[in-house]
Amino acid sequence: DKLKVVKELCVNQNISLEEIAYIGDDINDLDVLKEVGLSGMPSSSPIIKRVNPDIILTRKGGEGAFREFVDLILSANDILAKY
């Protein structure tokens, strides 16, 4: 139960689900993707239409989708430009 684990992490870190960015691509990610503050899915996800994520990545899973997700977050927060 991924959502249960994410909620436990939130409690342990004293943060809310709204502060979580999560990337997932399959049915076992659905609950988390619907609850977090920022959701992302690789373009290759077979369930992409069931979720309506905040970000649909141009890269496929296993082909740089996670890196693309992280770069978008860093760029949006002016962190990537510092490095």
Side-chain angles (χ1 to χ4, degrees):
D1 184 356
K2 290 185 178 186
L3 183 57
K4 179 181 176 183
V5 172
V6 171
K7 286 181 177 181
E8 289 172 2
L9 288 170
C10 286
V11 169
N12 290 338
Q13 297 299 314
N14 196 29
I15 59 175
S16 69
L17 283 171
E18 188 63 30
E19 295 173 275
I20 299 291
Y22 185 89
I23 182 173
D25 68 350
D26 215 335
I27 291 173
N28 62 342
D29 297 304
L30 278 174
D31 291 338
V32 181
L33 288 163
K34 291 178 181 178
E35 295 289 328
V36 295
L38 182 65
S39 61
M41 295 185 88
S43 60
S44 58
S45 172
I47 62 160
I48 206 159
K49 292 183 180 186
R50 293 177 65 180
V51 179
N52 193 26
D54 298 310
I55 299 172
I56 298 174
L57 302 155
T58 59
R59 297 185 182 237
K60 295 178 180 178
E63 297 179 7
F66 178 78
R67 181 60 197 219
E68 180 184 355
F69 189 57
V70 171
D71 284 347
L72 288 169
I73 294 167
L74 294 175
S75 293
N77 290 286
D78 291 327
I79 296 171
L80 194 60
K82 295 177 185 176
Y83 299 98

